[in-house]
Amino acid sequence: MRHKNIIRLNVATLFAFCAVMCSALLLQIFWHEPPCPLCLLQRIGLSMVMFGFMLNIIDGVQQRHYGVVLVGALFGATVALRQILLHITPGTPGFGRDLLSYHLYTWSFIIFALTILGVGILLLLLNQQVGQEEAYKPTVPARMICLLAIALVLSNVAASFMECGPYLACPDDPTGYWLFNHTHSPIRQGIVPC
């Protein structure tokens, strides 16, 4: 594969992950469904995947950057699978609304699994000399997508702080935001943070 084609693939994939992260935020805001702790952990995996693709765009394609993507995808897939297994028992309601007959954590697992498969195939096809080509400078659209990814991750950090506050214990079934309701903080309820 040629270097420019791989960079374009990384830019397109980062943009797709930005769309997933943006969708999660929009669903959280407009459906008024704060994410559960496992959902927040899946967003950390998503952020790690985005960071790995961003490294490829900014610093040039390197196999170790794909290692970051794989670690993030494995982490996110593990957390998503844990959440699927929590709700797989018949009669157990799933968490949150569903989209096209699947809950968001199931879609998250599918996305992470496809990412692992796609990066694995790409690493098999990747030429060893790709990272050793001439100096690479990202294009303006590629930089804009990287800035969008950073903004989305920071927005998720802010939304997580609004939901959980400075405590390490977020509610298992969140119904609101700590920032707007200080009476339900874990310390005031006598819950010891993790």
Side-chain angles (χ1 to χ4, degrees):
M1 284 186 116
R2 299 194 66 190
H3 190 258
K4 287 185 179 181
N5 293 336
I6 294 174
I7 292 292
R8 288 184 188 129
L9 181 63
N10 278 274
V11 171
T13 307
L14 180 61
F15 184 73
F17 276 98
C18 285
V20 170
M21 183 78 85
C22 186
S23 299
L25 273 173
L26 291 175
L27 292 174
Q28 175 182 344
I29 293 167
F30 291 114
W31 278 0
H32 306 289
E33 290 187 15
C36 67
L38 289 175
C39 300
L40 293 174
L41 288 174
Q42 290 169 51
R43 290 185 188 188
I44 290 173
L46 192 64
S47 300
M48 290 172 63
V49 169
M50 292 168 65
F51 181 68
F53 285 120
M54 197 167 30
L55 284 173
N56 274 336
I57 294 168
I58 293 171
D59 195 33
V61 176
Q62 295 182 24
Q63 290 181 347
R64 64 182 173 205
H65 299 160
Y66 285 119
V68 174
V69 172
L70 286 175
V71 168
L74 284 169
F75 175 77
T78 303
V79 174
L81 184 60
R82 164 81 169 121
Q83 192 166 10
I84 290 169
L85 293 176
L86 284 175
H87 301 290
I88 203 167
T89 307
T92 305
F95 181 81
R97 299 181 190 197
D98 59 349
L99 180 67
L100 300 175
S101 301
Y102 291 114
H103 288 279
L104 295 179
Y105 46 84
T106 306
W107 283 112
S108 178
F109 177 77
I110 292 168
I111 290 169
F112 285 127
L114 289 175
T115 301
I116 294 167
L117 179 66
V119 169
I121 291 171
L122 187 62
L123 286 173
L124 288 174
L125 299 175
L126 193 63
N127 187 353
Q128 292 286 345
Q129 300 171 352
V130 166
Q132 302 168 359
E133 292 188 14
E134 67 276 355
Y136 164 74
K137 290 187 179 180
T139 62
V140 173
R143 290 180 188 168
M144 297 301 289
I145 291 173
C146 289
L147 289 175
L148 173 65
I150 292 168
L152 286 169
V153 169
L154 291 177
S155 298
N156 268 288
V157 169
S160 298
F161 180 79
M162 288 187 336
E163 179 184 351
C164 302
Y167 313 107
L168 296 176
C170 293
D172 288 339
D173 192 10
T175 56
Y177 292 90
W178 167 86
L179 189 63
F180 306 120
N181 188 6
H182 292 291
T183 60
H184 296 296
S185 70
I187 300 249
R188 291 185 183 161
Q189 292 177 356
I191 300 172
V192 179
C194 298

